[in-house]
């Protein structure tokens, strides 16, 4: 309050009254409690109401609040009198020390007249800090001789928060040797000590890695961790140990000076000087033995120091001691070394090979002798006893013929294709100590014989070929493999002849005799031939030659290479068909029916129909599947008398092929008898038109040609009585195979080939259209209206079946 009093103008008349008001207001202190880090703009309280100040006078009296730490944390809203947060308040920044309470003491000054109000804001702590250690890693060196219960101080964690938000306890990761002891200081701080609960053993675990976790009491709780690395210091509590208590070693007589005899290896589980080992002879080792052998004090290596004579001494016994370099005490271990002097085996065995065959045929009989072997050794006793061995996996064996005499024979059949050459190594070893050995290697080459037939990768090969292929095109490469050598491996390829309808396979296909490349000699037509089945043989050049064959299945694949042909309605002149219908016909009346056929197969021959042009699209409809053109309504007086439509027949190929027909419809007022009635009416004179005349002439020509063909066939049969296989049932005999009356516009198919019989209606009669063989042309016969198909005789059917492409074209 003193700075404010100094600011008062003493010359004011009401100075004394103001001083008294300020002094009296200092005793009325208002306190608020808020949590730290409240959002900016948060309202603490209505300060005007709490201090009894009118809200309307705040703006006029210029309310001012203190600035703390160069920051203005709070301010008063002059319109509402509310005390609100201007800047985020951090309790740990304002109250750096952990006071029980953190208070902001502030003065509110009002001008005109001057009044000073005191209020306090208590900043409540929140758990916004996690405990942390000043050192993330603590290192402790503890001797393995430390007594159980020893305590070690640890660095404590710190938490800027206060009260329950401060550090509550510590946790230690799981350990068999250590536990945690937590102490509480006078100010409530928690301290942790590490206590040894089990004796340490450096040889068992040299380093202990522990995790110390500090947890505060906030909700939710926060934690921090530090790593404790305990390094166990070694003490000399382990004596050196030898790998064996007794060592046995053989030393040859006359061994050169400096020859290593044995290297001792003692180990000590301690470290540092406690593990450094020194080797020495004990007092139990005679001076004579110490003169014959030297012992390296640092490495433990024993070497020959002087000449050793087997006849003078055969067994020696040395006692060796190993002690460490411990500073307080030294520990030691002992072992015994037994040295056995052995006689010298100074002659190597020898091998002599005679009657050697370096090459044999692979079909040589089992038991054939390849070579004779003699072995010798000038030593005596076990040093002169010799053992001879060869690789047991080889198809050879050694037969003993006499002492140190052997014959090398073939024990199993040989196969050059598996192994073409053998390197046979004879190993001879005497039974001396140490044994001496020698070896000799011979090479045996196997000569090839023609014992393997060529082999194709597969016994059956399917080759798809697209029709209309270019003559001479490569179809496939059929190569065989022969593991033999030279002329036994040279292969020649042939096509095994097989006639198909008096046609040789060599006229259809060609194969390269050297590499097996298969070529097509002609262009294939799917509508004429769909597949071929024959054999290709691969023959080697051996004596005698061997061969094998593969079955080849050529499949001809269809292309859309035939354009649909419109066979109904019949077009005698040009491509325009004229039809006359009465104007009084009803809706749905059959005006005409378009029928087209396609020489292709499967989906390429599926035909759909559609209008390209039509005079009145509302008058006629076209069925896209059967080609029927019907009326969609009755004729009216507004409809033209002449109607024109262009119908397209399109197949299902890719790309699609099509044909078109133009139909002109003329309407008349008088009624015309339907086609069904014309079957019972005798033919009038006008029916016998030019078309019928041409058909009669064509049928006569066909009959004449058929007669000539039958006569020529009879003559050829008589001259060439070669037996011919029974032909398959004729696919063209559709009428004889189907014992049923064929209705109007009937399409009959048999097997994979299409044989079609159509009864197409025309204005002057009915036409039978038949497709006997794909791409063989079409035969069109005219049938009078008074004649039905049910009356067609067998001879007529036979005539239709025997018709050829020539007669079709003449028609």
């Amino acid at each position: 309050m003193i700075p404010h009093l100094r600011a008062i103008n003493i010359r004011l008349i009401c100075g004394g009254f103001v001083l008294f008001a300020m002094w009296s207001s200092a005793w009325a202190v208002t306190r608020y409690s808020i949590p730290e880090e409240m959002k900016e703009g948060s309202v603490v309280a209505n300060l005007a109401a709490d201090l009894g100040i009118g809200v309307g006078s705040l703006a006029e009296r210029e309310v001012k609040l203190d600035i703390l730490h160069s920051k203005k944390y709070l301010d008063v809203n002059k319109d509402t009198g509310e005390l609100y947060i201007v800047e985020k308040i951090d309790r740990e920044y304002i109250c750096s020390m952990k006071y029980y309470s953190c208070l902001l003491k502030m003065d509110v000054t009002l001008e005109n007249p001057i009044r000073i109000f005191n209020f306090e804001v208590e900043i409540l702590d929140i758990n916004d800090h996690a405990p942390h250690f000043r050192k993330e890693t603590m290192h402790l060196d503890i001797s393995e001789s430390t007594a159980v219960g020893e305590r070690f101080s640890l660095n404590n964690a710190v938490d800027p928060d206060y009260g329950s938000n401060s550090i509550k306890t510590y946790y230690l990761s799981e350990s068999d040797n250590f536990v945690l002891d937590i102490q509480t200081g006078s100010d409530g701080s928690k301290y942790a000590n590490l206590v040894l609960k089990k004796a340490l053993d450096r040889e068992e675990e040299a380093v202990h890695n522990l995790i110390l976790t500090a947890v505060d009491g906030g909700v939710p709780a926060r934690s921090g961790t530090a790593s404790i690395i305990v390094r166990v210091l070694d003490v000399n509590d382990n004596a050196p140990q030898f790998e064996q208590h007794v060592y046995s070693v053989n030393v040859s007589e006359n061994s050169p000076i400096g020859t290593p005899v044995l290297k001792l290896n003692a180990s000590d589980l301690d470290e540092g000087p406690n593990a450094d080992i020194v080797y020495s002879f004990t007092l139990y080792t005679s001076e004579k033995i110490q003169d014959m052998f030297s012992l390296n004090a640092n490495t433990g290596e024993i070497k020959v120091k002087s000449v050793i004579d087997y006849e003078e001494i055969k067994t020696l016994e040395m006692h060796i001691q190993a002690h460490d370099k411990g500073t307080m005490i030294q520990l030691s271990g002992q072992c015994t070394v037994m040295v056995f002097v052995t006689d010298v085996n100074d002659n190597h065995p020898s091998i002599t090979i005679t009657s050697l065959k370096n090459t044999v045929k692979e079909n040589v009989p089992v038991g054939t002798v390849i070579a004779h072997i003699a072995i010798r050794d000038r030593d005596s006793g076990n040093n002169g006893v010799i053992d001879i061995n060869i690789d047991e996996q080889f198809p050879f064996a050694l037969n003993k013929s006499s002492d140190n005499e052997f014959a090398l024979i073939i024990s199993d059949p040989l196969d050059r294709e598996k192994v073409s050459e053998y390197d046979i190594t004879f190993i001879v070893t005497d039974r001396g100590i140490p044994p001496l050995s020698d070896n000799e290697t011979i090479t045996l080459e196997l000569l090839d014989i023609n014992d393997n037939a060529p082999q194709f990768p597969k016994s059956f090969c399917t080759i798809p070929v697209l029709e209309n292929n270019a003559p001479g095109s490569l179809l496939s490469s059929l190569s065989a493999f022969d593991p033999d050598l030279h002329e036994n491996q040279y292969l020649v390829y042939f096509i095994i002849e097989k006639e198909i309808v008096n046609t040789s396979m060599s006229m259809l296909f060609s194969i390269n005799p050297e590499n097996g490349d298969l070529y097509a000699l002609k262009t294939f037509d799917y509508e004429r031939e769909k597949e071929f089945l024959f054999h290709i043989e691969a023959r080697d050049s051996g004596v005698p030659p061997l061969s094998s064959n593969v079955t080849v299945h050529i499949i001809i694949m269809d292309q859309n290479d035939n354009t649909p042909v419109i066979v109904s309605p019949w077009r005698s002149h040009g491509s325009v068909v004229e039809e006359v219908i009465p104007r009084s016909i009803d809706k749905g009346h059959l005006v005409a029916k378009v029928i087209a056929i396609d020489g292709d197969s499967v989906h390429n021959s599926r035909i759909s129909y559609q209008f390209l042009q039509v005079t009145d699209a509302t008058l006629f409809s076209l069925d896209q599947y059967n080609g029927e053109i019907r009326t969609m309504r009755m004729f009216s007086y507004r409809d033209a008398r002449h109607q024109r439509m262009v119908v397209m027949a399109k197949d299902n190929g890719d790309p699609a092929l099509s044909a078109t027909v133009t139909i002109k419809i003329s309407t008349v007022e008088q009624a015309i008898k339907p086609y069904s009635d014309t079957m019972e009416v005798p033919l009038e004179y006008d029916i016998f038109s030019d078309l019928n005349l041409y058909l009669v002439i064509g049928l006569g020509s066909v009959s004449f040609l058929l007669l000539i063909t039958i006569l020529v066939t009879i003559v050829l049969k008589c001259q060439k009585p070669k037996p011919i296989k029974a032909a398959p049932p004729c696919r063209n005999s559709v009428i004889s195979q189907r014992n049923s009356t064929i209705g109007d516009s009937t399409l009959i198919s048999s097997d994979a080939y299409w044989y079609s019989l159509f009864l197409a209606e025309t204005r002057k009669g009915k036409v039978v259209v038949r497709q006997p063989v794909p791409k063989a042309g079409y035969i069109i016969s005219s049938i009078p209206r008074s004649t039905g198909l049910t009356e067609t005789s067998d001879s007529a059917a036979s005539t239709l079946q025997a018709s050829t492409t020539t007669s079709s074209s003449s028609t």
Side-chain angles (χ1 to χ4, degrees):
M1 290 188 302
I2 295 175
H4 293 286
L5 292 175
R6 289 178 180 176
I8 299 174
N9 192 345
I10 304 176
R11 291 175 296 177
L12 291 176
I13 299 175
C14 299
F17 175 76
V18 172
L19 181 62
F20 174 77
M22 293 173 57
W23 183 258
S24 61
S25 61
W27 292 101
V29 178
T30 303
R31 175 178 291 186
Y32 303 103
S33 296
I34 61 171
E36 64 175 325
E37 298 188 1
M38 289 183 67
K39 293 182 179 180
E40 297 176 2
S42 300
V43 176
V44 176
N46 194 317
L47 186 63
D50 293 340
L51 298 179
I53 304 172
V55 176
S57 62
L58 292 178
E60 299 175 356
R61 301 183 66 178
E62 296 183 4
V63 179
K64 295 181 181 180
L65 265 71
D66 292 342
I67 297 176
L68 302 176
H69 305 287
S70 300
K71 291 185 179 182
K72 189 173 183 180
Y73 292 106
L74 300 171
D75 201 353
V76 178
N77 190 327
K78 298 179 180 180
D79 296 329
T80 61
E82 292 177 339
L83 183 67
Y84 64 93
I85 304 294
V86 176
E87 188 175 349
K88 185 178 72 173
I89 301 173
D90 187 357
R91 182 185 184 280
E92 287 73 31
Y93 175 78
I94 297 174
C95 303
S96 58
M97 300 300 292
K98 287 191 175 181
Y99 297 108
Y100 288 98
S101 61
C102 180
L103 297 177
L104 290 180
K105 296 183 179 181
M106 303 185 70
D107 295 337
V108 180
T109 304
L110 298 178
E111 300 290 345
N112 301 320
I114 294 177
R115 289 192 65 187
I116 299 175
F117 297 93
N118 304 114
F119 70 93
E120 296 176 349
V121 179
E122 182 182 9
I123 309 302
L124 303 179
D125 183 52
I126 63 173
N127 192 21
D128 56 343
H129 294 87
H132 68 278
F133 291 87
R134 292 186 175 89
K135 290 185 177 181
E136 295 183 354
T137 303
M138 293 176 274
H139 296 273
L140 294 177
D141 291 337
I142 303 176
S143 174
E144 63 178 329
S145 61
T146 302
V148 175
E150 189 73 19
R151 304 168 68 88
F152 305 93
S153 299
L154 301 175
N155 293 332
N156 294 332
V158 294
D159 192 332
D161 293 327
Y162 168 73
S164 60
N165 294 329
S166 184
I167 296 174
K168 181 180 180 181
T169 186
Y170 292 89
Y171 297 100
L172 184 67
S173 60
E174 184 177 355
S175 174
D176 295 335
N177 298 87
F178 297 96
V179 293
L180 203 63
D181 181 29
I182 302 173
Q183 300 290 333
T184 303
S186 59
D187 58 350
S189 301
K190 302 291 183 179
Y191 302 93
N193 292 324
L194 193 65
V195 181
L196 182 66
K197 72 172 183 177
K198 180 182 177 182
L200 299 175
D201 188 350
R202 191 205 62 82
E203 289 73 34
E204 181 179 346
E205 189 172 2
V207 178
H208 296 262
N209 293 306
L210 307 175
I211 302 297
L212 180 63
T213 303
V215 181
D216 62 21
V219 178
R222 292 174 177 264
S223 62
T225 59
S227 177
I228 304 174
I229 300 176
V230 178
R231 188 167 64 93
V232 182
L233 303 180
D234 183 56
V235 297
N236 192 19
D237 57 347
N238 291 280
Q241 296 289 332
F242 286 95
E243 294 177 351
Q244 301 177 20
H245 292 291
V246 178
Y247 291 89
S248 297
V249 62
N250 296 323
V251 178
S252 299
E253 64 173 332
N254 302 324
S255 293
I257 296 174
T259 300
V261 176
L262 179 66
K263 184 175 182 180
L264 299 174
N265 186 17
S267 59
D268 194 320
L269 298 178
D270 296 321
E271 66 177 357
N274 297 330
D276 293 339
I277 297 175
V278 178
Y279 299 91
S280 61
F281 290 109
T282 66
L283 298 177
Y284 296 103
T285 304
S286 65
E287 295 182 357
K288 183 178 180 179
I289 294 177
Q290 295 185 27
D291 292 337
M292 296 175 62
F293 298 95
S294 64
L295 174 62
N296 191 310
N298 296 322
T299 63
E301 187 175 12
I302 301 174
K303 294 183 179 180
V304 175
K305 188 177 181 181
S306 62
V307 177
I308 302 174
D309 188 0
Y310 174 80
E311 286 71 27
E312 181 180 349
I313 186 170
K314 297 179 176 59
T315 304
L316 301 96
E317 183 175 343
M318 292 180 286
H319 299 274
I320 309 295
Q321 171 184 273
H323 63 85
D324 58 28
K325 298 179 180 179
T327 55
M328 301 297 294
I329 58 172
Q330 294 182 350
L331 303 178
S332 63
Q334 296 182 357
C335 73
T336 301
V337 179
M338 301 296 298
V339 180
F340 299 94
V341 182
T342 59
D343 190 17
V344 175
N345 181 24
D346 54 353
N347 290 287
H348 289 265
S350 62
I351 304 173
T352 303
I353 301 175
T354 58
S355 303
L356 174 62
K357 295 180 180 179
N358 294 110
T359 60
V360 295
K361 290 186 176 182
E362 60 176 323
N363 62 342
V364 65
V366 175
T368 301
V369 177
I370 302 300
H372 290 278
I373 296 94
I375 55 177
R376 297 286 184 272
D377 194 323
R378 291 183 298 171
D379 291 327
S380 59
N382 287 336
N383 294 334
V385 178
I386 307 172
D387 298 319
I388 183 170
N389 296 289
I390 60 173
D391 194 334
E392 296 180 355
Q393 297 181 354
F394 286 173
F396 306 101
L398 289 171
N399 282 352
K400 188 174 183 179
S401 56
S402 63
D403 291 342
N404 297 333
E405 297 285 338
F406 298 89
L408 179 66
I409 64 171
I410 296 175
S411 60
D412 295 310
L414 303 178
D415 188 352
R416 189 208 63 80
E417 285 69 38
K418 293 182 179 179
V419 181
S420 61
E421 187 177 87
Y422 290 94
D423 291 329
I424 307 171
T425 301
F426 303 94
I427 300 175
V428 290
T429 306
D430 62 23
R431 299 182 182 178
I433 301 176
L436 300 178
S437 63
D438 198 0
N439 62 78
E440 188 77 21
T441 301
I442 63 172
T443 299
L444 179 64
E445 181 183 359
L446 302 185
L447 303 179
D448 183 54
I449 63 170
N450 192 25
D451 57 345
N452 291 280
Q455 295 293 327
F456 285 94
K458 295 185 293 185
S459 61
F460 190 89
C461 180
T462 300
I463 304 175
V465 179
L466 199 64
E467 68 170 330
N468 302 320
N469 59 295
S473 59
L474 178 65
L475 302 183
S476 181
S477 181
L478 303 170
S479 58
F481 171 74
D482 193 325
D484 293 325
L485 287 179
H486 308 304
E487 66 275 0
N488 298 330
Q489 190 185 34
Y490 298 147
L491 303 181
V492 181
Y493 299 90
F494 305 91
I495 294 179
I496 300 177
E497 290 295 336
K498 177 182 178 183
E499 291 188 357
I500 300 179
V501 193
N502 297 327
T503 301
S504 175
M505 280 296 171
S506 59
M507 298 177 64
L508 302 177
F509 303 97
S510 172
I511 190 168
N512 189 322
E514 296 181 357
N515 57 22
D517 289 345
L518 184 64
Y519 299 90
L521 297 181
K522 60 165 289 187
T523 300
F524 296 111
D525 188 355
Y526 177 82
E527 285 70 38
R528 291 181 179 274
E529 53 256 336
K530 289 182 170 55
E531 61 181 8
F532 299 95
L533 192 67
F534 56 93
H535 301 285
I536 291 178
E537 179 182 303
R539 183 184 307 162
D540 61 26
S541 303
V543 180
L546 301 177
S547 64
S548 64
N549 58 58
V550 59
T551 302
V552 180
H553 185 203
I554 304 293
I555 299 177
I556 309 301
M557 302 176 65
D558 184 42
Q559 276 188 322
N560 190 25
D561 56 347
N562 288 281
T563 303
V565 177
I566 297 177
V567 298
S568 177
W570 173 251
R571 294 163 291 174
S572 59
H573 301 287
S575 61
V576 179
V577 178
E578 296 183 359
E579 295 288 346
V580 178
I581 61 173
R583 294 182 65 86
S584 60
I585 58 176
D586 296 330
K587 175 184 177 182
H589 179 79
L590 177 63
V591 177
K593 183 169 185 177
V594 180
I595 299 176
I597 58 176
D598 194 315
D600 292 320
S601 300
V602 198
H603 65 278
N604 290 332
S605 63
R606 297 174 186 169
I607 298 176
S608 60
Y609 303 89
Q610 65 184 53
F611 280 131
L612 286 182
Q613 297 177 9
V614 60
T615 303
D616 190 345
T618 65
L619 188 55
F620 300 101
S621 65
L622 173 62
D623 192 305
Q624 64 173 340
Y625 300 109
N626 59 25
E628 292 183 352
I629 302 175
R630 296 182 181 272
T631 58
M632 298 175 61
R633 59 180 175 81
M634 295 181 65
F635 283 91
S636 66
Y637 68 92
R638 295 188 183 89
D639 295 326
R641 298 183 61 85
H642 300 285
Q643 301 284 334
R644 181 180 180 273
M645 60 189 73
V646 179
V647 180
M648 180 179 67
K650 182 175 65 175
D651 61 22
N652 197 37
D654 185 17
L657 302 177
S658 62
T660 61
V661 60
T662 302
I663 302 175
K664 290 184 177 180
I665 305 296
S666 300
T667 59
V668 295
E669 297 298 334
Q670 69 273 15
I672 297 177
K673 294 183 180 181
Y675 293 144
S676 60
D677 297 340
T678 62
M679 298 297 291
E680 301 175 359
V681 178
L683 288 172
E684 297 179 1
Y685 180 75
D686 62 349
I687 296 180
F688 192 76
S689 62
D690 293 340
L691 173 60
N692 292 9
L693 178 61
Y694 294 152
L695 291 178
V696 170
I697 294 173
L699 289 175
S701 301
V702 170
S703 301
F704 177 73
L705 292 176
L706 176 62
L707 180 59
I708 295 301
T709 303
I710 293 174
L711 292 176
V712 172
T713 303
I714 293 173
V715 171
L716 292 177
K717 291 292 183 180
C718 294
Q719 292 180 357
K720 188 180 180 181
K722 183 180 178 180
I724 300 176
K725 297 180 181 180
C730 181
R731 299 178 181 270
N732 299 337
S733 56
V734 177
I735 300 177
S736 60
Q737 295 177 6
R738 311 275 185 172
N739 293 326
S740 61
T741 301
I742 302 175
D744 289 352
S745 305
T746 303
L747 175 63
I748 301 176
S749 63
S750 174
D751 300 332
Y753 295 88
W754 281 36
Y755 300 93
S756 308
L757 184 63
F758 296 97
L759 185 58
E761 297 181 358
T762 64
R763 212 161 48 85
K764 297 183 179 181
K766 297 188 176 181
V767 178
V768 175
V769 181
R770 182 174 175 278
Q771 182 185 358
V773 180
K775 284 194 176 180
Y778 305 96
I779 301 170
I780 304 176
S781 301
S782 178
I783 300 178
R785 293 186 179 183
S786 60
T787 305
L789 283 178
T790 56
E791 298 175 359
T792 304
S793 61
D794 295 338
S795 61
S798 301
T799 303
L800 289 174
Q801 296 168 14
S803 299
T804 62
T805 307
T806 305
S807 62
S808 174
S809 61
S810 65
T811 305

